[in-house]
Amino acid sequence: MSFVYRFFRFLRSMCAPITAVICFSCLLTFIFILYQPTPGPGIKQRLGWQSWDSISMSNEDLAAVSSTNNESTSNQEAEDNKVELPEGVDWWNVSGIPGLGEDKVDTTSLPLDVWAPLLPHDTGLSEISVTHCYMDPIYAGDLCAPSTTTEKDAIRGPWVRVDRNLNDESGYMSGFLSIWYRRTRRLDINLIDSIRLLPSQEEPSPLDGWTKVDKSLRTGVYHANPLFLWYHVGKTASEMTLEDKSQIITEIDVLFGEDVPWWGFEKLEPATMHRKEGITEGTSITIRKGVHTVPKAPPLHFSRDGKFKIMQIADLHYSVSVGRCLDMRADSKLDKLCTSPDGPGSDNLTNTLLARMLDVEKPDLVVFTGDQLNGQGSSWDPKSVLAKFAKEVWGRGIPWAAVFGNHDSEEGMDREDQMKLMESLPYSLAQRGPQDLHGVGNYMLKVRSADPSMTHLLTLYFLDSGSYSKGFFNFWGMFTPTAYDWLRQDQIDWFLRESASISMIQRPFTPDGAKDLGPIHWARQTDQLTPQTHRLAKPNALMFFHIPLPEAYSTPDKNPSTQRPLDVGLSGLEPNGNAEGTDGFFEKVLLNATESNHINAQAGSETRPKQEVKVVANGHCHITENCRRVKGVWMCFGGGGSYSGYGKVGFDRRFRVYEISEYGEKIRTWKRMEGVEAEPEGHVVDDMVLVGSGATP
């Protein structure tokens, strides 16, 4: 009994202190965690390492920084923002109108302690450093970071590493050479407004405000002349005007190769590593000043006279280098440029050709149908390649979309990250698509009428046909593919869902109101439309993916009048490029997805509805460029348009063009070939009508 008595007395003696500790802990938890005072309608302040960061109380704080949906209509944007379109302004022309066509990004919510060059930071840099380490900084952590203290991090910002190795082309023995910077939002810290790269014996003049980074930008490179980074510290954020803020350095990146830097960046001279033929491609530091708003593509729409033009660009096969020409005519002017050590390279020659074709055709949309990157060991830094592949397109303000090919993700970066880069380029309509589908880049775009009704008149489907389904790793650990991938069942299911969501419209379409189109409206209504031709149906559709279906090589339909096969263009110059496997995409999608659930019972018509997808556009096969109709669906190849991809001597580079007219009812195609000096605009071949008036029944 005495033992039991002592035990309970012990519990009683511990009750008071335990109760006190619990109560005190609860009090501290309430004061420092649960209790959140509301400062009212203003902003709340947070005291942390960055010292009084201003944080917006809007819901945007909780949202990821992303672009607005390109498919949202401008009228809806106007309603959401309570901004009315000025009189006389077309619904799709929202550029320059306050509140419309702009992304709203709360820059105060952007992270300061990570390197993310795509984010639109308007916050300046306060300090720059360079480190050299023989261990990958990703794994070495603070061992390879510049020295710092908690106080410096709180005042000037923490060190952030530019995740690019300046010695990437020098081999592993040269180590990892990294640029680091601090970024701060404090108003009393002087910010960097200029950077110069100078040899060891030179310095800026006058020297006021300039700081030299201790380590050379060529450290670790054998027999390389030292090159040092100098940065100039200017005014504090509180002293700056808007003009001053547009000149501060807001981001640093690294470019491999000698082509253009990423959009919004400028290249610093000299290069930290120069190009040596067959050895290195060159390495340069690039910087961004201020904030550059990425131009957005306007909503896709037909012209007022009912036309919409698409140019397909297939298989560019660009590399980090300037590229190497393949299968050129011997002794031609282009061949001499290609073989010259100081020549522009095949990538630049292709861009020059592409620029001419774009200026002649003036398309409303450009579609890249895969293999933008060459892979095969030459596009080891995809970001540097993606910076140049579409520059001639977005440089002209032309909207563009893209799908992936089998070579695009062979090295350096997966499709997920590449799509993020492409989405951030000017006038891009490329989309990641649903994450639960096979591949990256399964999406749909709608082309609408120019009148105020904004009627959906044309559907464009984009699919990722994958890369490889089989292969093996060789002795050196390199993957060797043995079979191409194909469109999978989940992609079929996705298409059928998207197709089912499209509403039927009255076809052929009649523009809404003679006031909007004047004589064009009345001419079309009087001369081309009759009450007997109207029907309810989904808009016509085109589909783009890289690797062709097996049916692209099937026996073509025959012209009922001449009994000639409906197969126009060159084919059979190379082995079939389709995958061996299939999930039945042709039957389940192209044949079974119809434009209407109703049977057109007019005299002379077929007894089943027409297919929704009228044309399938593929790349992949560079010297195959025919259009073949199989069971009512046209299967068309783009043909090789790049000097960087394989070809055939005598096979001119070419680009396929689709012109959709009569408000989506008529689809016509042709190929524009590269021209000789006497015809710089090239020439057109195989001009034919695929769908609509003038087409083969």
Side-chain angles (χ1 to χ4, degrees):
M1 293 296 293
S2 59
F3 172 77
V4 175
Y5 174 74
R6 287 197 300 272
F7 176 74
F8 280 103
R9 188 173 61 179
F10 169 77
L11 291 180
R12 187 179 62 180
S13 64
M14 293 296 296
C15 182
I18 290 175
T19 303
V21 170
I22 293 175
C23 292
F24 187 66
S25 300
C26 293
L27 180 63
L28 292 178
T29 302
F30 175 77
I31 293 176
F32 292 104
I33 298 179
L34 300 180
Y35 177 60
Q36 298 292 334
T38 302
I43 60 173
K44 59 181 178 180
Q45 303 290 337
R46 179 182 64 188
L47 182 61
W49 63 263
Q50 192 52 49
S51 186
W52 296 106
D53 292 344
S54 297
I55 303 178
S56 171
M57 296 182 65
S58 67
N59 292 332
E60 292 179 14
D61 293 341
L62 305 176
V65 179
S66 61
S67 61
T68 56
N69 187 345
N70 286 313
E71 286 300 308
S72 58
T73 63
S74 300
N75 279 4
Q76 183 62 44
E77 291 177 351
E79 181 179 347
D80 293 341
N81 293 280
K82 297 182 180 180
V83 177
E84 294 184 0
L85 289 171
E87 185 177 355
V89 175
D90 298 310
W91 64 264
W92 66 83
N93 186 17
V94 296
S95 60
I97 301 177
L100 295 181
E102 301 174 355
D103 289 339
K104 295 181 179 179
V105 178
D106 180 11
T107 57
T108 62
S109 67
L110 301 180
L112 304 183
D113 54 353
V114 295
W115 181 69
L118 299 184
L119 295 183
H121 269 295
D122 60 357
T123 309
L125 312 182
S126 62
E127 190 174 350
I128 299 175
S129 182
V130 175
T131 64
H132 182 251
C133 190
Y134 284 99
M135 185 182 300
D136 192 332
I138 295 177
Y139 306 109
D142 293 340
L143 294 176
C144 293
S147 60
T148 187
T149 64
T150 304
E151 182 181 6
K152 286 184 178 179
D153 287 350
I155 296 174
R156 308 186 69 85
W159 283 113
V160 176
R161 184 175 70 89
V162 176
D163 191 14
R164 315 273 274 172
N165 180 14
L166 290 170
N167 287 347
D168 210 343
E169 292 193 86
S170 303
Y172 185 78
M173 296 303 295
S174 63
F176 295 85
L177 190 65
S178 303
I179 299 176
W180 299 71
Y181 61 70
R182 298 182 189 266
R183 186 190 298 276
T184 179
R185 287 196 181 100
R186 286 183 56 130
L187 301 180
D188 58 343
I189 299 297
N190 299 83
L191 301 178
I192 298 172
D193 57 13
S194 183
I195 295 177
R196 294 183 63 183
L197 308 182
L198 299 173
S200 56
Q201 66 274 15
E202 296 184 19
E203 61 183 29
S205 178
L207 200 57
D208 293 344
W210 287 94
T211 301
K212 178 183 178 181
V213 175
D214 294 335
K215 198 167 293 293
S216 168
L217 295 171
R218 294 170 178 165
T219 302
V221 181
Y222 187 62
H223 280 180
N225 295 324
L227 183 70
F228 291 91
L229 185 149
W230 292 75
Y231 62 90
H232 183 267
V233 176
K235 301 177 182 178
T236 64
S238 61
E239 299 170 335
M240 289 184 179
T241 63
L242 290 178
E243 178 65 25
D244 294 332
K245 290 181 179 179
S246 67
Q247 295 301 312
I248 63 173
I249 310 297
T250 56
E251 193 55 86
I252 300 177
D253 202 349
V254 173
L255 171 72
F256 296 103
E258 293 189 329
D259 288 293
V260 296
W262 194 257
W263 187 88
F265 284 73
E266 57 186 79
K267 184 161 55 174
L268 298 179
E269 298 291 347
T272 61
M273 185 178 298
H274 294 288
R275 177 190 176 195
K276 295 180 180 179
E277 186 67 30
I279 301 175
T280 60
E281 303 303 339
T283 304
S284 301
I285 295 175
T286 63
I287 60 172
R288 185 181 68 209
K289 291 186 175 182
V291 179
H292 299 266
T293 303
V294 180
K296 296 297 180 183
L300 298 179
H301 60 278
F302 280 81
S303 63
R304 293 192 178 278
D305 58 351
K307 293 183 178 180
F308 186 81
K309 184 185 287 187
I310 302 172
M311 176 182 282
Q312 178 188 356
I313 300 176
D315 299 271
L316 289 175
H317 282 267
Y318 283 180
S319 304
V320 173
S321 69
V322 293
R324 181 173 61 90
C325 294
L326 299 177
D327 302 316
M328 304 291 293
R329 285 195 181 96
D331 300 325
S332 66
K333 182 178 180 180
L334 283 175
D335 183 61
K336 293 177 182 178
L337 284 173
C338 286
T339 55
S340 171
D342 299 325
S346 59
D347 292 358
N348 290 323
L349 287 174
T350 301
N351 272 340
T352 301
L353 171 64
L354 178 57
R356 296 205 312 266
M357 301 297 102
L358 291 170
D359 291 339
V360 173
E361 292 291 351
K362 294 180 172 55
D364 300 298
L365 175 70
V366 167
V367 177
F368 296 91
T369 49
D371 281 359
Q372 287 76 242
L373 277 62
N374 186 53
Q376 307 169 84
S378 68
S379 51
W380 44 271
D381 185 63
K383 184 178 181 182
S384 296
V385 184
L386 292 175
K388 64 178 177 178
F389 89 98
K391 68 175 184 178
E392 299 297 339
V393 178
W394 55 253
R396 288 165 170 75
I398 302 173
W400 58 274
V403 295
F404 287 115
N406 53 294
H407 287 294
D408 285 313
S409 54
E410 285 184 346
E411 56 186 337
M413 187 180 294
D414 60 23
R415 294 172 186 254
E416 192 86 35
D417 291 333
Q418 286 190 42
M419 181 56 75
K420 292 177 182 177
L421 291 174
M422 287 197 290
E423 288 177 332
S424 67
L425 284 170
Y427 301 103
S428 171
L429 293 172
Q431 300 174 23
R432 192 260 176 255
Q435 296 188 2
D436 57 348
L437 297 185
H438 183 77
V440 176
N442 302 290
Y443 57 101
M444 175 182 68
L445 298 177
K446 299 177 181 179
V447 187
R448 302 182 182 275
S449 63
D451 68 334
S453 70
M454 297 184 295
T455 303
H456 172 194
L457 298 180
L458 179 69
T459 309
L460 305 176
Y461 293 102
F462 303 85
L463 292 162
D464 183 2
S465 56
S467 52
Y468 306 105
S469 60
K470 295 180 183 178
F472 63 90
F473 289 92
N474 61 20
F475 177 79
W476 305 104
M478 302 295 291
F479 180 76
T480 303
T482 59
Y484 293 123
D485 207 348
W486 63 89
L487 295 167
R488 304 300 181 118
Q489 181 62 46
D490 59 356
Q491 293 171 289
I492 294 174
D493 297 337
W494 168 82
F495 168 83
L496 294 176
R497 289 194 300 269
E498 292 295 316
S499 176
S501 68
I502 296 175
S503 301
M504 292 189 294
I505 61 172
Q506 181 171 284
R507 292 176 50 186
F509 171 75
T510 303
D512 183 14
K515 175 183 177 182
D516 299 298
L517 299 182
I520 296 177
H521 167 78
W522 293 111
R524 171 169 170 77
Q525 185 181 37
T526 304
D527 299 340
Q528 299 183 19
L529 300 183
T530 59
Q532 289 76 16
T533 61
H534 285 178
R535 70 186 191 280
L536 285 177
K538 297 176 185 176
N540 283 329
L542 282 77
M543 182 177 286
F544 300 87
F545 53 87
H546 183 68
I547 299 176
L549 299 174
E551 290 77 9
Y553 302 96
S554 297
T555 303
D557 299 341
K558 290 185 178 181
N559 188 318
S561 301
T562 64
Q563 294 303 306
R564 291 182 178 179
L566 295 175
D567 187 0
V568 180
L570 296 175
S571 61
L573 301 178
E574 59 186 322
N576 293 355
N578 61 282
E580 296 177 0
T582 178
D583 281 358
F585 189 89
F586 185 79
E587 294 81 8
K588 297 176 181 177
V589 168
L590 299 181
L591 296 187
N592 289 338
T594 59
E595 65 180 22
S596 174
N597 296 325
H598 306 289
I599 296 177
N600 188 348
Q602 292 182 18
S605 68
E606 298 183 11
T607 58
R608 60 180 175 83
K610 299 177 182 179
Q611 292 94 340
E612 178 193 0
V613 178
K614 302 300 192 299
V615 181
V616 173
N618 299 126
H620 190 55
C621 304
H622 301 193
I623 52 178
T624 301
E625 47 89 270
N626 65 312
C627 269
R628 174 179 299 185
R629 199 177 82 178
V630 179
K631 297 184 178 180
V633 180
W634 284 98
M635 319 287 282
C636 297
F637 288 86
S642 174
Y643 301 117
S644 301
Y646 76 85
K648 186 179 179 67
V649 175
F651 185 92
D652 292 339
R653 268 59 179 184
R654 62 204 64 199
F655 302 95
R656 182 170 289 281
V657 178
Y658 296 96
E659 183 185 69
I660 300 91
S661 58
E662 298 182 13
Y663 300 92
E665 296 299 321
K666 184 176 181 178
I667 303 176
R668 175 179 161 220
T669 187
W670 63 85
K671 289 161 292 189
R672 183 164 289 277
M673 317 278 281
E674 63 174 317
V676 296
E677 294 183 17
E679 50 175 13
E681 295 183 353
H683 57 280
V684 170
V685 297
D686 297 337
D687 188 346
M688 57 186 296
V689 177
L690 304 179
V691 179
S693 58
T696 302

